[in-house]
Amino acid sequence: MFCVSVHTAAVEIVSNKAVNTQTLSLSTLRAIFSMRMTQWPDGSPIRVFVLGDKDPLHAEFTKKRLGVCPHQLRRAWNRQIYSGTGQAPSKLDTEAEMHGLIAATPGAIGYLSQDQIDEHVQTIEIE
């Protein structure tokens, strides 16, 4: 099955401003969003926020930033849930909700359209 990206806005990785990490490798980003990495380098917990599988921004994020299709990411979460080794990230309904929760939640990471980024969140560069 192929996945096609239809969203046109640039998607950026963002975190809570208290997160001390400004750059991540692609493999670390994948580990965080597949819920295999649960702590930041300083030991604080990572709180992952995503939009629903059918949201165009989520599809853009998974395809362009992670290099996987939304259903592949969902399968990874399901394996961890059903095996009892992990959990899925917090699924949100809107980009505005994601912005607010990332800004308010210590250790939070997610993604936003470039035009939604402001002084309340910080962007994370991918190496």
Side-chain angles (χ1 to χ4, degrees), residues 2 13 31 35 38 42 47 52 65 67-68 74 79-80 86 91 95 97-98 110 117:
F2 296 99
I13 312 304
M35 305 301 287
T38 59
D42 67 4
R47 291 285 315 273
R65 293 305 194 139
V68 300
R74 167 72 47 209
R79 270 194 306 272
Q80 291 183 52
K91 188 181 90 161
E95 194 173 359
E97 185 181 12
M98 183 174 303
I117 296 170

Side-chain angles (χ1 to χ4, degrees), residues 37-78:
M37 184 174 168
T38 59
Q39 292 183 335
W40 291 106
D42 67 4
S44 62
I46 298 174
R47 291 285 315 273
V48 180
F49 294 104
V50 298
L51 296 172
D53 288 353
K54 296 189 185 302
D55 188 285
L57 187 63
H58 180 71
E60 182 82 1
F61 164 72
T62 59
K63 181 81 170 150
K64 299 282 177 156
R65 293 305 194 139
L66 297 180
V68 300
C69 295
H71 69 273
Q72 293 171 305
L73 195 55
R74 167 72 47 209
R75 256 197 323 248
W77 299 333
N78 288 344

Side-chain angles (χ1 to χ4, degrees), residues 23-34:
T23 61
L24 292 171
S25 68
L26 178 57
S27 62
T28 300
L29 184 69
R30 285 178 177 156
I32 289 171
F33 279 91
S34 65

